Every structure is written in structure tokens, then in C-alpha cells.
Amino acid sequence: MVYARRRNSLPSLLLSSSLEDPEEIQEEAPLAVSKESFTSEGEIADRANEMINNNNNANIELRNELETSFLQYAMSIILGRALPDARDGLKPVHRRILFAMEQLKLNPTTSHRKCARVVGEVLGKYHPHGDMSVYDALVRMAQDFSTSYRLVDGHGNFGSVDNDPAAAMRYTECRLTSMATDTLLSELHLDTVDFVGNFDGNEEEPTVLPSKLPLLLLNGSSGIAVGMATNIPPHNLREIVTACTALIQKERMMKTDADVEADDVVVSDEELFKMVPAPDFPTGATILGTSDAKQLYQTGNGRVTMRSVTHLEQIGKRNAIIVTELPYQVNKAALLEQMANLVNEKKLEGISDLRDESDRDGIRVVLELKQRDANPKIVLANLYKKTKLQTTFSGNMLALMKPPNNEGIKKTAVAEQPQDDDDEKIYDSDESASSSSSSSSSLDISTSSSTSSSSLTPQRFTLREALDYFLDFRFETIRRKTKYQITKVQARIHVVDGLLLALDRIDDVIELIKNLPDPAACRMALMRTTTKVTVDKNSKENNDKKASSSSSSSDDGNYLALGLSRIQADSVLKLQLGQLTRLNQGKLNEERNDLESQRKGFQRLLDEDDAVYSTMVEEMDEIDHKYGHERKSKIIYDDDGDVQEMDMVKNSRSVIVVTRGGYIKRMELKTFESQGRGTRGKRGTSGGDSSSADDEVLHCITCNDHDTLLMITQNGIAYGLRAYQVPSGSRTAKGTPLPSVLPISIGQVVTAVLPVTEFSEKEYVVLATTQGMIKKTPLKVFEKISSRGLTIASLAKGDKLKWCHKCTDHADILIGTTRGSAARFVAAKLRPTGRTSKGVKAMKLRDGDTIADMSVLGGQSENDNKEFVLCITEQGYGKRVSTNDFRTTSRGALGVIAIKFKNKDVGDDQDKVSCFCIVSEDDEILLNTSKGVMVRQKVKQIPCQSRTATGVRVQKINDSDRITSPALSSQHQHACQASLDYGC
């Protein structure tokens, strides 16, 4: 727009700068815009002095003058500086920088040039404002942490996430990126957009760049104008291209198909939000939920919550929180200073050291925790609440757009293209083909609002409106480019036809040219369409006479009835002798065929809207393949969202291992192949002969990754988390500290881990303590466990909760002791109680005996012939016993003998029962020792014996080792899970 207009012409701010007629410009002055449209600074000063010294108008209405001046200033800021154009996503300063760099030929293949040269070019020709505003805009387009898809390739110091300023423009260098040239500037000179005069009328600049992608959404934008502001988040290229393609193929191309129902040609908002679920910030981080993003996309106003990416590492003997990605537009140096102040002021507890280890490979902020009382979950929660490790992006999607009553190019009549039969009338003039094309295009598109940026108004838009607006603009630019190209092709076809016609009669043309006095006479003779006069080649006298005659007398002389146009005649006269060969004529015929093929393709783009849309889809797919990348900002989907985080995780079978030292890890079940009975096994943890007691495996279970793990501590508190949320590790890895996975304090021991696939109302949770207390609680109670956990049992002094199983009223409960006794009673006779109840006595214990294990088996009449009790001792002996051998007794009975021991020593060397598992012949057992040695074998390899038998060796155990926690893996569960895939 024009910035220096006369102050008494307020409505002119809303109109475009009209260009003078091209012919008048050539005759009067080389200016792109008339001088009368501009007011120089000197004229403004003279006018001000005149107003002051004018005695007749000594009084000026201050209110009117302020109102007029302020409105002019406000409109200048809104339309010319602060707000981006929704078509190319650029503010005027960014557009002028890119255009100036294109004019300087700073392409990706050329060398870098000083930024001061570019800034000077922009200031002197297009943007009469401060040099630092131009340089800051250039720097931002070169920063990979500010812009998702850089448009400027910077060389030198262009700042950092620590808010370090860029070096002075005399030190830095720049050039265009391939992204800028491919998506913004490649079609600039194909009459795709309109040009207007610059601030002084000596240069021309484009009103908008012919963008192939909606850069307003890809790179976002922010700006503060007068009375309004904009803040648009960046997005992922692949997601935007997917959404554009869907809108084109389903809403635009299918509308022309009469067989398609109206409901099938609309992309719903839900479908659109699945394609573009949330913004994608260049600094990565995570986005919490999609509900806020949906509100932003539906209303144009909303906020998105961002959180840093962190993980837990062990540095020496201390845990450390490592920050690797920060939220968008967060100053890392200011963040570290804020953290340090909070720690010094005792507002952040648990942090012992804070340092920045970031380098050129990425961000790494280390927060070492205190060794004793620091809970990583609590520290992180405080960091998210009190620092910018978690912050929000307040979006306000506002940009310059056409008024709603103005439709795009789709409703503008396409200008008729010149036909082949009218070639003579079109090209028989002194005007060039390109000039004809330019004037024709400007007439055809004159009614479109794209001819002037001043016809745009600030509007808030939704995601769908932004995409539709861009697609309309892209449709227009392709049509305009096609009209320009078809005009060029027709002009060349016109020339080639004239050359072919002349080459067919080349001898007569040469003879005619030899006998005429000057090129003008030759041109007129080639353009003649009347009867041909025969040339007497043998008459030297006649030739001399014609050569001496004037060009005007050539009307009565010799000429050929070729009927060429002026352009064709000039092309013939420019032919060299070497071009008169038969080979050159063949090349012209081949060129004529290629040009005709191109013309038909261009004509199809002008006649068929679907052809234009297909071209748009192909362009976007090509750009997506070249510049697209995976989403940087991961999304943590909330519970109220349509998409759950669990949908992104494959539901595989895994092994969960918990050690006595408070470490947990998850491994794929296929890591352990099935082995034979009596083998030594494979190491499954970091423990070994030299390991400490903390490395002893406490729990080892198999589950599905989508299962909920009820992790119960020995003091009767239950916590819940998904199995896939347990950090994975290798067989020999130590694992992750439990406090980083669960909100438990140091010293708490997880005594039971229960995988739950579904919280059924018909199922119960049976809990047992080391002192023989037992209780039954409905499973549905545990469906919603808060982050603080739930109290599930009240324990007596010195008692500990150790076992947890699921059961129904049709099941039986089997309790075994460490000295080989077992008691079986019906679960239905155990009355359900509340979460905080104490429970009842499970069985009577002999002196020195304790509960070894609790299992749940089918009822007396259910699967008795298929189920077995697997007895495993600590020294590696085991057997299967039929469940029929254990009669049902009342609760609180003494029990019967379940196994006898081969080692009958008394004291620490005495063998004890490690577990009583309910198995079938198709099951597999995963035995695990206290030092982390695991062996997986089939249950049917273990023989079935009587209750009083001592069993066979199922695993070789070292003298200092013992079996701690066997885990059961059912074959039918494997078969079910093998068919599951992502999202199932």
C-alpha cells in the first residue's frame, strides 16, 4: 500500500494504488505510479508551514484533525506492517525481504551475501522504515527455533534460544532457502500476482507472493497492531497437506460428480481435527490434550498447553531430571535463572544442583535431585506449576483476508483465449506477445480482490476458513499462470507457423529479399496477401530498377502472397543461412507438435476446474515428499479427547520386573525363548553373583501393554498405571527407580503387581497379608485411582500386605505356607468388604510358619481336570498337583500337606515354598531367581505328582541363589494378542 498520501484523502487508504496506462508511462516518465499519487516529505513540511501561516484558516478543528490522522496511522499499521496476508502468510516486511533477495539472485545455489546488502536493498526500494526492524525480520526467518520451515539460509551468528541477539548485519550473511524458492518465488514472474508501485513510484513490488502452501499455518505469525493483535501457531507440513488434499478431493472435486451424495462431499470438523490435531512447534516439547486446540481451530481464539520433554537419569548416586526440549518461545537462560531463584528462595524443594549442558547437538538442562527426600514426580509437578517448563500458547488467528461477500477466482469468468484462426489479428501489431498477455490478464482479474492489498480487511478465521481461503487463492494463481503460459505458447506457435510457411517457399523468399531495398520493404512484402507478381530472375535491369525504387513503390513491385503477420515476418527476416537446412525444418515441425500438446494441456486447465485441483494436489504431494517431516511436538491426549494415548501403542505381551531395591522395567516377552526343564536360564536383570540385596527380583509378571497395573505397597496403598507407561529396558538393565514412575516415597516396597484388562463388576480383588489376614473387595472400586493412590486395606501393627489376585464368586482360593501346607476354600463364602476394612483370618498357621503364596483357581466343578497347582521351592524343585487332591475346607482351617522337601535341614539352609501357581498344561512358566537369572519353560515338562511328593529339579540354582517370583504366561493369551495391532 501507499504510505505517504495526502492527509485529506482518508478513503484512499482503503483503495489500491492505480497504475497508469503503460503507454502513457513510456511517453511521460519511467515511473510505475504517477507522481500525483504521492506526497514527499518536503511537500508535507511546506503544507504544514502554510497551514500555520494562513491567516484565513488560523483555527483548525483539533478533534477532526486527530481523528483523521489517527485513523490514517491505524490503517497504515494494520494493513501495511503488523498483520500478515492470509494468502502467502507474510507481512509486508517479510514479503519485501524475500522479493529483494530474489531480485538480487540470492538463490540456494549461489553464495551467501552480507545481510547489510539485503537490508539496504529493502530500505532503499520497498520498506522506508528502520533498518533494525528489517534485519530482525530477516533474522527470524533464518532461526530454526523460531520458524518451522526456514525461508532464509543464514550464515553466521543468528541468535539462540537463550535470547542471545544476532550479530550485526555487517557480519552475517544470507541467501534464500530452497523452501522459499520452491513454494513462494518460483512462479513470481509468470503473471500469477499483481505488482504495484513502491513508496516513491520508481520500483514495483508484488502485492502478494504466489505461495504453493498455506505458510500462514505452517510458520505461524505474531504481530501487534492498533486495537488488534494476531498470534498464529505453526503447524506440521504433512498434516496441513493432508488436510488440504482432503478438502480438495472430497469437497471440491467430488462436487462435480452427480452420483455422489451431498453428505459425502463434506469433510467434517472431526475429520479435519484428526488430520490436524494440534500445532507443531519448531522447538518440539509436548502438547497436553487436544480440546484446547479444537477450540482454537473452531473459534479462532484459544490456547494450547505446552510442556517440556524430560526424563530421569541416575548420575552417580543421585537421580537427575534431564530437560531435552523446551516449549515454544521460552528463553532458556531466563528459565534457568527463574529456577535458581526459586531454589534459593526455598520455593522449590528437592533440587541440589542445576546446570546447562546444552551444545550444538541440542538442549540438555540437568537438575540433580537430593539423594534422600527428593521425589522426582513431586519436583516435576512443582517445576511445571512454578516455571515455564509448562506454559501456554495463546492463539488469536487474525489476518488480512477478502471481505466475505467477495468470492474467489472460481466465480470470476475466465477470459476467452485467442483461437488459432485469429492469430493474424492478435499479433499483427507492434506490441509483443508478453505485453498483450499482461494487459489481457490485468483486465480479466481486475474484479478480483487480489489486485490490491488495500481491499483486504482484518478478519479472525478458523482452521477450515484458512485452508479454504488459501485453496481459492492457489486456484487463482494457477489459472493466471496458465493464461500467461498459454499466451506464450500461442505466440511461439504463431512464429513457428510463419517460419514453416517461409521455409516451404524459401527460394522465392530469398529471391524476394534480394530484390528489395530495405528490411521494411521486405517485411511489407512478406505480409502481403494479394496476388503474387512473378519475379524475372534473368532481368538484371529489372532488378536494378526495383532496388532503386522506394519502399512505397514496392506496392506495385514483386512480392509473395504469404500473408505473414508482422511478428512472423520479423522472425523470417532474422533467419540465418545455417537455419535454412532440411534438419532445421524438421526441428520446427517437432517443436510445433510439442507446442500444440502444451497448448492443449493449458487449455484443459482453463476449461476444467478438476484439472486445476489435480495440479494442486500433485504440487503439494511433491513438496510434502521433499520438505515434510514427522511431528516434533508430541501430543499427550487427555481422557476427554477422542483419541487416547493408548491408541498409539501396540498391545504386545510384556514382562514387568520389580526389584527389592525399588527399580522397575518392562521387557518384551519374546526376549525369553522357551527352554527345557532343568536348564540354568538367561539373565533377566543386572544382578549377578556380586549383586547386592537391592538387585533381588521381587515381582515378575506377564501382561498386555494396554493392561492397567495395580501396584500395591506393603502398607496397603494401591497405585495404577498402564503397562506401556513402565519404561522399557534390556535384560541386563537395572531399570527405572519406582519414584520416577509412581508417586511413592523412598523406602516403600511394592509387594503385589496385578494386571487388569477390564474392570468388571462381577470380579473381585482378594488381598492377603503375611500374618494370614484376607479380604475381598470389588474390582470396580479400583477403576479410577488418583495420582495419590488409594488405601485398600487397614493393617495391624507389624503386618504387611503381600498378595493380590482377581477372582469371582465361582472360584476357590488356595493359600499355601512356606512349610508346605495348603488350604482351599470357596471365594463366595468370603464376604465382600470396603476398601479400608481389615479383613478376616485366612488359615491357621503353625509356629514359625508364614504365608508363602495365595492363588485363585476355578470352582470344585469347574476345570478340575485341567487345572494343576504348581509348587516351586526356593532351591529349584517343583511339581504339579491336581487341584482335585486339595479338598475344600472352611476358611481358617489348618490345611493339608502340599509338598515335602528333599532338604530337611533346619535353619537358613532349610528349603521353603516359593509359590503355589494355578496352571494348565498349555501354560508356560517364567522362573526368576533372586540374582536375576530367568528361565522360561513349558508347564507340561514338569511332572504331575501327589501332594506328598518332593518334586523334581526345574531350575539349577547356585548355593547363594534362590527362586523368588515365578511368573505365569498363558498360551491362549498369546494367541489372542497375536492378532492385535495398533489401536486395537
Side-chain angles (χ1 to χ4, degrees):
M1 70 171 284
V2 179
Y3 296 97
R5 290 188 179 273
R6 298 189 185 276
R7 295 194 298 173
N8 59 357
S9 58
L10 175 61
S12 63
L13 287 169
L14 304 177
L15 301 176
S16 62
S17 303
S18 59
L19 296 178
E20 298 292 337
D21 185 66
E23 294 183 359
E24 295 181 3
I25 291 176
Q26 292 178 1
E27 294 177 0
E28 297 178 0
L31 296 177
V33 180
S34 173
K35 290 182 178 179
E36 297 179 357
S37 301
F38 300 94
T39 302
S40 65
E41 294 182 1
E43 291 174 342
I44 294 176
D46 294 339
R47 184 184 172 203
N49 293 329
E50 182 181 353
M51 292 174 62
I52 294 175
N53 298 326
N54 190 352
N55 295 327
N56 296 330
N57 296 322
N59 296 325
I60 300 175
E61 187 66 32
L62 181 61
R63 178 175 180 178
N64 294 337
E65 183 67 20
L66 287 177
E67 180 180 350
T68 302
S69 301
F70 181 78
L71 285 177
Q72 290 183 1
Y73 164 75
M75 293 301 295
S76 174
I77 295 298
I78 292 172
L79 298 179
R81 299 187 69 178
L83 298 184
D85 193 310
R87 295 170 294 181
D88 60 3
L90 301 175
K91 298 180 184 179
V93 61
H94 300 104
R95 188 180 303 115
R96 288 162 176 165
I97 290 172
L98 297 175
F99 179 65
M101 294 178 70
E102 193 271 343
Q103 294 295 100
L104 292 173
K105 301 188 183 304
L106 298 182
N107 300 318
T109 56
T110 62
S111 60
H112 294 79
R113 194 172 299 184
K114 290 291 184 182
C115 292
R117 175 69 177 89
V118 177
V119 173
E121 184 80 3
V122 175
L123 292 179
K125 292 185 177 181
Y126 311 113
H127 199 72
H129 301 285
D131 58 342
M132 289 310 299
S133 64
V134 177
Y135 183 55
D136 289 344
L138 187 150
V139 167
R140 181 175 174 82
M141 289 192 291
Q143 293 175 337
D144 56 359
F145 54 87
S146 297
T147 307
S148 295
Y149 302 93
R150 295 184 303 123
L151 303 178
V152 174
D153 179 19
H155 185 69
N157 177 16
F158 278 81
S160 67
V161 293
D162 291 324
N163 203 25
D164 296 327
M169 66 180 77
R170 62 182 178 272
Y171 299 120
T172 56
E173 299 178 345
C174 65
R175 65 182 178 186
L176 293 170
T177 62
S178 57
M179 178 76 176
T181 56
D182 291 347
T183 61
L184 286 172
L185 302 170
S186 60
E187 299 177 352
L188 183 60
H189 301 291
L190 299 180
D191 195 32
T192 51
V193 295
D194 295 320
F195 282 73
V196 296
N198 67 338
F199 59 89
D200 60 4
N202 290 325
E203 302 286 342
E204 284 190 337
E205 60 176 321
T207 59
V208 66
L209 296 182
S211 176
K212 297 180 180 179
L213 290 174
L215 285 177
L216 182 66
L217 295 176
L218 291 179
N219 280 338
S221 183
S222 63
I224 301 176
V226 180
M228 60 186 67
T230 183
N231 198 24
I232 304 171
H235 292 79
N236 184 269
L237 187 148
R238 290 184 176 176
E239 294 175 353
I240 294 297
V241 167
T242 301
C244 289
T245 302
L247 290 175
I248 291 173
Q249 294 178 342
K250 195 169 182 180
E251 289 193 354
R252 296 171 181 253
M253 298 181 69
M254 293 182 66
K255 282 185 178 181
T256 59
D257 192 350
D259 297 333
V260 180
E261 297 182 1
D263 295 339
D264 296 333
V265 295
V266 176
V267 178
S268 65
D269 288 343
E270 293 301 323
E271 293 175 337
L272 196 61
F273 296 154
K274 287 181 180 179
M275 301 173 195
V276 187
D280 186 24
F281 300 104
T283 55
T286 57
I287 296 175
L288 304 184
T290 57
S291 57
D292 292 337
K294 287 182 180 180
Q295 180 183 356
L296 175 63
Y297 294 153
Q298 288 176 327
T299 64
N301 195 350
R303 64 179 187 177
V304 178
T305 304
M306 303 173 292
R307 176 180 289 179
S308 301
V309 174
T310 62
H311 68 273
L312 201 66
E313 288 185 8
Q314 190 162 4
I315 301 177
K317 294 183 179 181
R318 295 186 177 183
N319 292 327
I321 297 175
I322 310 299
V323 181
T324 55
E325 294 179 11
L326 294 177
Y328 185 51
Q329 295 177 337
V330 169
N331 183 344
K332 177 162 63 68
L335 175 65
L336 293 175
E337 183 179 357
Q338 181 188 18
M339 290 181 183
N341 291 336
L342 291 174
V343 172
N344 294 332
E345 295 171 2
K346 306 298 183 181
K347 294 181 180 180
L348 267 181
E349 301 291 341
I351 298 178
S352 63
D353 189 18
L354 171 65
R355 59 182 180 272
D356 184 8
E357 298 180 356
S358 305
D359 54 19
R360 65 179 60 188
D361 296 328
I363 294 176
R364 180 180 170 87
V365 177
V366 180
L367 294 88
E368 284 195 17
L369 305 182
K370 294 181 180 179
Q371 188 171 359
R372 293 185 177 180
D373 56 348
N375 188 325
K377 289 286 186 180
I378 299 176
V379 174
L380 265 179
N382 288 327
L383 287 171
Y384 293 149
K385 183 178 180 180
K386 300 177 181 179
T387 70
K388 288 190 175 181
L389 281 183
Q390 179 173 318
T391 183
T392 58
F393 181 93
S394 299
N396 186 29
M397 301 172 71
L398 185 75
L400 298 177
M401 306 177 74
K402 294 181 296 185
N405 57 344
N406 290 346
E407 299 297 334
I409 189 65
K410 293 188 293 183
K411 296 186 179 180
T412 303
V414 179
E416 295 183 0
Q417 297 301 313
Q419 302 298 322
D420 294 340
D421 297 340
D422 299 331
D423 285 344
E424 281 188 33
K425 297 180 181 179
I426 295 173
Y427 296 104
D428 191 10
S429 65
D430 293 331
E431 302 292 336
S432 65
S434 60
S435 300
S436 175
S437 171
S438 299
S439 61
S440 170
S441 299
S442 62
L443 288 174
D444 296 335
I445 313 298
S446 61
T447 59
S448 174
S449 61
S450 66
T451 57
S452 173
S453 62
S454 60
S455 63
L456 304 175
T457 59
Q459 296 183 36
R460 179 175 291 169
F461 56 87
T462 64
L463 175 64
R464 180 184 295 273
E465 290 172 349
L467 296 176
D468 285 336
Y469 187 81
F470 167 76
L471 294 178
D472 291 343
F473 169 69
R474 186 57 191 158
F475 186 97
E476 172 189 350
T477 55
I478 293 179
R479 276 283 167 87
R480 290 186 59 164
K481 179 185 71 171
T482 304
K483 290 165 61 178
Y484 175 85
Q485 291 174 326
I486 197 172
T487 303
K488 290 292 186 181
V489 168
Q490 288 178 339
R492 181 58 185 168
I493 290 176
H494 185 70
V495 171
V496 172
D497 287 342
L499 293 176
L500 290 174
L501 183 61
L503 288 177
D504 287 341
R505 303 176 62 181
I506 191 61
D507 294 336
D508 294 338
V509 171
I510 294 175
E511 190 65 31
L512 175 64
I513 293 174
K514 288 169 54 180
N515 295 323
L516 291 178
D518 52 41
C522 295
R523 183 187 301 110
M524 296 301 297
L526 292 173
M527 294 170 60
R528 288 287 188 178
T529 58
T530 55
T531 307
K532 171 186 173 183
V533 176
T534 305
V535 178
D536 187 5
K537 301 179 183 180
N538 299 324
S539 177
K540 182 73 171 67
E541 223 175 85
N542 191 27
N543 292 340
D544 294 340
K545 184 177 180 181
K546 290 180 180 180
S548 62
S549 64
S550 65
S551 61
S552 61
S553 65
S554 64
D555 294 340
D556 298 327
N558 299 327
Y559 56 88
L560 298 175
L562 294 179
L564 302 181
S565 68
R566 185 183 186 90
I567 293 177
Q568 289 175 326
D570 289 338
S571 299
V572 171
L573 294 176
K574 292 178 182 178
L575 282 175
Q576 298 179 358
L577 293 177
Q579 296 177 305
L580 303 180
T581 62
R582 186 180 301 275
L583 177 62
N584 188 64
Q585 187 173 6
K587 290 182 179 180
L588 288 175
N589 286 321
E590 183 178 351
E591 182 184 0
R592 178 64 170 79
N593 296 332
D594 294 340
L595 292 172
E596 182 61 25
S597 176
Q598 294 180 25
R599 189 194 67 79
K600 291 180 179 179
F602 294 145
Q603 191 64 45
R604 180 172 175 268
L605 289 175
L606 294 176
D607 296 338
E608 301 177 12
D609 289 352
D610 283 358
V612 179
Y613 291 133
S614 298
T615 302
M616 293 167 61
V617 172
E618 292 174 1
E619 288 177 348
M620 291 182 183
D621 288 342
E622 182 180 354
I623 295 174
D624 183 13
H625 180 73
K626 187 174 182 180
Y627 300 106
H629 56 72
E630 294 297 328
R631 165 178 283 275
K632 293 182 179 180
S633 299
K634 304 300 180 183
I635 301 175
I636 300 178
Y637 295 94
D638 51 13
D639 294 335
D640 297 330
D642 295 331
V643 183
Q644 300 293 328
E645 182 185 5
M646 187 170 60
D647 296 333
M648 310 298 291
V649 179
K650 189 175 181 179
N651 197 13
S652 303
R653 295 288 292 175
S654 296
V655 178
I656 306 294
V657 176
V658 180
T659 65
R660 189 174 298 278
Y663 289 87
I664 187 172
K665 67 177 178 179
R666 175 171 55 90
M667 299 175 288
E668 292 185 359
L669 182 61
K670 61 184 180 180
T671 305
F672 305 93
E673 66 274 8
S674 182
Q675 296 176 267
R677 178 177 63 84
T679 56
R680 187 169 295 274
K682 182 182 294 186
R683 185 178 301 278
T685 67
S686 61
D689 294 336
S690 60
S691 63
S692 63
D694 289 343
D695 296 326
E696 178 181 334
V697 174
L698 195 61
H699 302 287
C700 179
I701 65 166
T702 60
C703 63
N704 302 324
D705 283 343
H706 286 188
D707 288 352
T708 299
L709 298 180
L710 290 181
M711 308 191 74
I712 301 169
T713 62
Q714 62 184 5
N715 56 354
I717 306 296
Y719 302 90
L721 78 161
R722 296 286 185 179
Y724 64 81
Q725 294 176 332
V726 177
S728 61
S730 63
R731 288 191 299 104
T732 58
K734 190 171 186 178
T736 302
L738 273 172
S740 67
V741 180
L742 296 175
I744 63 176
S745 59
I746 298 176
Q748 289 187 0
V749 179
V750 175
T751 60
V753 180
L754 178 64
V756 180
T757 303
E758 181 182 0
F759 290 88
S760 174
E761 295 181 354
K762 297 182 180 180
E763 288 186 303
Y764 300 89
V765 174
V766 180
L767 307 171
T769 69
T770 56
Q771 294 182 2
M773 302 299 293
I774 190 170
K775 62 174 290 187
K776 185 175 69 173
T777 303
L779 180 63
K780 196 71 175 177
V781 175
F782 302 95
E783 184 173 11
K784 295 183 179 180
I785 299 181
S786 65
S787 59
R788 297 174 297 177
L790 282 176
T791 300
I792 61 172
S794 297
L795 303 177
K797 185 176 180 180
D799 199 3
K800 295 180 181 179
L801 185 62
K802 192 169 183 180
W803 295 277
C804 177
H805 290 286
K806 292 187 300 179
C807 75
T808 64
D809 285 339
H810 301 290
D812 289 349
I813 298 174
L814 181 69
I815 296 180
T817 67
T818 56
R819 294 200 175 174
S821 297
R824 175 179 179 177
F825 57 89
V826 180
K829 294 184 179 180
L830 183 63
R831 182 175 57 87
T833 58
R835 285 190 298 105
T836 59
S837 64
K838 184 178 180 180
V840 295
K841 198 71 174 178
M843 68 179 294
K844 186 181 297 184
L845 298 177
R846 293 183 175 90
D847 294 338
D849 202 359
T850 58
I851 301 296
D853 202 353
M854 179 188 71
S855 299
V856 175
L857 63 155
Q860 189 70 36
S861 60
E862 185 178 330
N863 297 327
D864 276 350
N865 296 326
K866 297 180 181 179
E867 287 186 334
F868 301 89
V869 177
L870 179 64
C871 302
I872 304 292
T873 69
E874 292 182 352
Q875 294 183 2
Y877 292 94
K879 66 177 181 178
R880 282 186 294 143
V881 182
S882 175
T883 55
N884 290 331
D885 293 346
F886 296 90
R887 59 183 175 85
T888 302
T889 63
S890 61
R891 179 184 55 82
L894 188 61
V896 297
I897 295 176
I899 189 173
K900 291 186 176 181
F901 303 103
K902 288 188 176 182
N903 184 2
K904 298 182 181 180
D905 296 338
V906 179
D908 296 337
D909 294 335
Q910 183 181 9
D911 200 0
K912 296 179 181 180
V913 173
S914 176
C915 78
F916 285 95
C917 297
I918 307 302
V919 297
S920 64
E921 288 189 347
D922 295 332
D923 292 342
E924 291 184 350
I925 191 74
L926 186 64
L927 300 178
N928 191 79
T929 70
S930 61
K931 294 185 177 179
V933 179
M934 295 183 180
V935 60
R936 177 180 171 186
Q937 57 183 277
K938 296 183 181 299
V939 169
K940 63 183 178 181
Q941 294 178 348
I942 302 175
C944 183
Q945 298 178 350
S946 65
R947 290 191 295 107
T948 57
T950 58
V952 298
R953 183 177 293 277
V954 294
Q955 184 176 2
K956 292 181 180 180
I957 304 297
N958 295 332
D959 294 338
S960 60
D961 203 358
R962 61 188 177 87
I963 293 179
T964 55
S965 56
L968 182 65
S969 178
S970 301
Q971 284 291 346
H972 73 275
Q973 291 177 326
H974 297 171
C976 293
Q977 295 306 321
S979 62
L980 294 178
D981 201 351
Y982 285 102
C984 297

